[in-house]
Amino acid sequence: MISPKHIFAWATAAITGALMAASFQTPAMAGEGPERADDGFRYDAPITRPIARPIAAPVAGYEVVTGTAGTAEVGATGMSTAPCPGGKRVLGGGWTTGNPTTDTPVVTSASAIGNGAAWQVLFRNAGGSALTLTANAQCAFARPSAHSD
């Protein structure tokens, strides 16, 4: 028969072992804790010494570009594209319609295309009359992404 004394001893040993194991785990081992950048710096830790590497500049050359208007008859599809000028890349985008109170577009795709060179909106006219939709791109100087469209 197992006595309460033995149960207490086993429980104490199990808890002590778990605490010891947990105390030796680093956040990277435990799968929790602050994210680390590829260069090994912890960006959530207070900086106690000057950083010897350059810090990235803020976004330069920001502008909103209005694209060409796309038109679609009732039940048809349309497209509008807003290209970024002069080496700028798309940060995001959107669209506007000719009459926001009555137009009812169904946007099927709104995304950057051409490795971030333009913003494109594909849509379908679900309303009762012809529809005009215009893409808008938010552009700035930036490095292209690592992947391509």
Side-chain angles (χ1 to χ4, degrees), residues 27-88:
M29 291 170 56
E32 3 179 294
E35 294 292 324
R36 294 183 186 272
D38 292 337
D39 57 3
F41 285 90
R42 276 185 49 186
Y43 292 101
D44 65 331
I47 297 174
T48 57
R49 60 182 168 73
I51 296 176
R53 58 184 162 62
I55 296 175
V59 173
Y62 177 83
E63 68 177 299
V64 175
V65 177
T66 301
T68 58
T71 304
E73 295 298 323
V74 178
T77 59
M79 175 182 67
S80 176
T81 304
C84 288
K88 293 183 180 182

Side-chain angles (χ1 to χ4, degrees), residues 15-137:
I15 292 171
T16 303
L19 290 174
M20 290 285 292
S23 68
F24 288 109
Q25 289 183 344
T26 64
M29 291 170 56
E32 3 179 294
E35 294 292 324
R36 294 183 186 272
D38 292 337
D39 57 3
F41 285 90
R42 276 185 49 186
Y43 292 101
D44 65 331
I47 297 174
T48 57
R49 60 182 168 73
I51 296 176
R53 58 184 162 62
I55 296 175
V59 173
Y62 177 83
E63 68 177 299
V64 175
V65 177
T66 301
T68 58
T71 304
E73 295 298 323
V74 178
T77 59
M79 175 182 67
S80 176
T81 304
C84 288
K88 293 183 180 182
R89 298 284 184 219
V90 170
L91 302 177
W95 49 270
T96 57
T97 60
N99 189 352
T101 56
T102 60
D103 290 342
T104 54
V106 175
V107 175
T108 56
S109 173
S111 63
I113 60 168
N115 201 20
W119 184 260
Q120 185 177 67
V121 179
L122 303 174
F123 63 97
R124 184 173 53 84
N125 183 356
S129 62
L131 167 73
T132 301
L133 183 139
T134 306
N136 300 306

